[in-house]
Each structure stands twice: as structure tokens, then as C-alpha cells.
Amino acid sequence: MYYRRHKREIHLILFFVVLKLVLHFLANSRFGFHRDELLYIALGQHPDWGYMEVPPFIAGISRLSQVIFGDSVFAFRILPSLAGAMIVFLVGLMVLVLNGKRPAITIACLAATFSPAFLASGYLLQPVVFDQLFWTAAAFLVMIYIATHKTRYIHILGVVAGIGMMNKYTMAAFLLALFLGILATPQRKFLWNRHWLIAAGIGLLIFLPNLVWQFRNDLPVIRHLSQLKQTQLDYIQPQDFLIQSFVVHGTIGLIAVAGLIYILLSKRSGRFRFIGISFILIMALMLWLQGKVYYAFGAFPMLFAAGGMAFQYGARLFSGRFIGASAALVVAPCLVFLPVVIPILPINATLGFFGLAKSAGLTFPLKWEDQRMHATTQDYGDMFGWQEMADYSVLAYEQIPEHERDRATVIADNYGQAGALDHLGNSRLPKTVCLNSSFALWAPDTIHTQHLVYVDHDISDLEPLFKEVKLIGVVTDPLAREKGTKVFLLSYPVKDINSLYRLAKQEGR
């Protein structure tokens, strides 16, 4: 086997894999579910070949997590954490393909382990970390094929490409960048064989069910991307995208920069120069598409591997101590800010840390989309208040006379609220109706109700339509992004609620 002669190096790589897992496992049970996790848990309860925002892979991961590990916050974060650790493993293997030694492995794996961007995105139940994994795996498979000429790696690439497309459509962009990067170098000679067509066929076959689903449902991905562009992507500036793409990695961004320079200019890396070209191409493509910064995270692991080689070369030029000093200088600042990106500390200690950071002038992590300063980060803010909301909803439902509960409907304004009620309502609530996000796919065509448990900030337009309106509770958690969300019980409509509901569903609210 290709790596039999690298047992010591593999052991070093596995050390960093375990370190990555320990970091996340220490943090994963703190705080609550993230808003987006609640959506993906809901997708897992409605298996299909596609959804409004994403292909079906994350729904399968969600369902698998629940069946194997249970319903807890920690349980749903096990598989994402394993995916993050697998990225570290692949980075180490990339270094071996580049003929790197233990110093290069150390730098590269430290980068993949402690990059703030990869820590923050590497534990939540979201498609992001799996997207990063599939991009990294694709780059590694191309590298090892060029190093060994063994065609089985191309076939495995087809499998990875197909599964990656079933996770996020951004996989197609990275595959295109890889292909064009190879085409721009002498390694293009490796493209001219039938095994690439076989790999393409494998990938297409895996991806075909979602492709069919998209066409049968009038391409909801187009509508979703259009909405995303109007509400978020149009506000992304090219210079901000480029700067933030490196800044989000903290001082570890220096390793990525060193890796890009090394892979493009070093004679030792000649046959792998396509990595640097592919990176430039994917960044250019994301700029053109006005993608979010995290869309391109998956392109950085291959630069971390090349960065390890750059630092190893620096150690030869200067001294053996160069690696230790470099690792300390580059990684230490990222360690200081661990509580910003993963909930490694209890909430009170985390708030104390943010207080110190704020007093020192470090305020940008605490600024939310509303452009206001808060006590914690927006990601953490999206993890609080859900249980309080679900408890109020259960209380509202239990105030409905038992013989009338079969004519009751629970409605939530957004997917986070709906996911919280369905997952945290302790099975005491009927399934929540929501017209936001993928919840609209399984929302009923009609509702016939005498009572509404309604979750929203304001229902002034609905109050005149019911004889009785009660405010049951308000989310008061000061850390919650949903602070101020109200739970109402509206009973005995005086107008046809069903016609209003159908109109709202047609309008895509």
C-alpha cells in the first residue's frame, strides 16, 4: 500500500485527528441547537430527494444521527465533528503525497485543526463541513492519482463528486476549478483516458435522483438562489470577500498564503501546481457568483498542506527551530480566541471572555446582522431561547379544551421556530405549519381550525379575525436572537382563516 512506509507520519496525523475530535467533543454539548440545525433535523423527518435550500444528503445525516446516537445536541453534532476530523486526516495525507515529512505534517495539521473558520463550521449539523470534506477529498484523490497513476482513485473521485453534489451544489464549482486547473498545466495528459468518463458517469448516477426531483418540482433551487441573491449576495463586495476569505482563518491564514506561493512557484511542486491554479479559479468563480465567504472554505485545506511544505522548506533554509517558532507564532493567537468560534467554555465564562474582549476593543465578533453590539456572537445567539419558546407553545396548546384539540393548528413564522417546536415540543404538539424555507414543501394545502398556537413577533393583522386572543408567553432569554418572540393562542375565528392561509401559501410566504 502507498502509505505503508509512512507509519510514523500516519501516527502523527492521527494525533491531530484525535485532538480535533477532543476539542469539538468538549464543546458540542454546550448551549443549545443552532437555528439551522433545527431546520436540518426537520428535513431528516421528511425524507425526500431534494429540498428548497439543499440536496438530500444533510437530511440523511440528520436522520442517521438520530437513529444511531439519539436526540441530544451532542448526538446531532457527532457526525459533523467526525467530518471535520477527517479533513485534518486528508490534509496530512496530502502532505505525504507532496513528499512532506513530519515538520510539514505538523504545520499543515495544526492549520486544519485550529483555523477559526474550520473550528466554527466544523461541528454544527449543517452541509458546510461536509462540503469542505468532499472538496478536500476530491483534491486529495486527484493529487494521489497524479502521484501514483492508479485509476481506482479516479473512480473513487466519481463517488465523492456524486455524494458531494447531493450535499451542496457548490461541489460542481470546485470540480470545474480542479478540471480547469489541471487543464492549465502539463498534468492535462492525465485527463485523456476513459476512466474520467467512468467517474463522471458514477457521479451523475449518484446525483441523478436530486436532479430529477429538481425538475419535477420546477427547480426550487433557482428560486432559492434568486431570493438569496436579492437578500444577501448582492451586498457582498469583491474586496470584502477576498480579504475575509483569509482573515477568517486568523493568523493561520499566513500558512495558506505561504502554501499558495509555494505551490505556484516552487520547482519541487511542479506536478501539483494545478492546486494553486484551481484555488485562484475557485476564488474567481465565487467572486463572479457573489458567493458568501464560507462557500470557498473547502479550497483551503489543500493550501494548508502546501503551506506545511513551505514551512518545512523554511526550516531547511534557517534551522530546525524554525518550525517550532513558526507554529507557536501562527497558532497561539488562534488558541486565545477559541471561545469565539466554539462553545468550549460554559456560558458564564464565555460571556466573561467576551466582556474582556470588548473592553480590549475586539468588538467585531459581537456585531450581528442588525449592526448592533450584543453580549455574544450571532451564531451563539441562534442557540438560545428555543426551549423557552417550545415550552410556551406546549402551554398554549394545553389550554385548548381536549375535545377541540383535533381542530387546532400550530403555526410558526420561520424555520427556526418551526424546527424548535417540532423537536423540542416533547411530542406534545401537532406538527408545526410553516411557510418559510423547506417547511413550505410539506405544509398542508388547507387548514380547518378553531384554535391557532401562533409563534411570531407581531400578529396585529390576525387579532381582528378571532374572538379570543391570548398572549401566552414571550421569549425573554437575553442571549437569544429570538428574544421578544411571542407565543399566542388565537381561538374561534370570525372569518374564513383557510382562504387567508391558502393565499399566503400561494404567495410563498
Side-chain angles (χ1 to χ4, degrees), residues 490-509:
L490 300 87
S491 299
Y492 309 116
V494 296
K495 291 188 178 181
D496 183 10
I497 299 300
N498 191 47
S499 62
L500 295 175
Y501 169 79
R502 288 201 307 268
L503 179 63
K505 188 174 184 186
Q506 290 171 4
E507 293 175 348
R509 289 179 58 189

Side-chain angles (χ1 to χ4, degrees), residues 48-113:
D48 206 342
W49 286 113
Y51 302 94
M52 292 288 289
E53 312 87 351
V54 291
F57 181 83
I58 192 64
I61 289 293
S62 168
R63 187 60 182 154
L64 183 66
S65 296
Q66 191 169 26
V67 169
I68 296 177
F69 304 117
D71 291 331
S72 69
V73 174
F74 184 87
F76 280 106
R77 293 176 178 172
I78 291 175
L79 293 180
S81 298
L82 289 172
M86 189 64 188
I87 292 171
V88 176
F89 185 69
L90 289 173
V91 166
L93 295 187
M94 283 181 179
V95 174
L96 293 182
V97 175
L98 291 168
N99 292 320
K101 306 302 180 184
R102 291 166 69 87
I105 290 171
T106 299
I107 291 294
C109 288
L110 277 172
T113 301

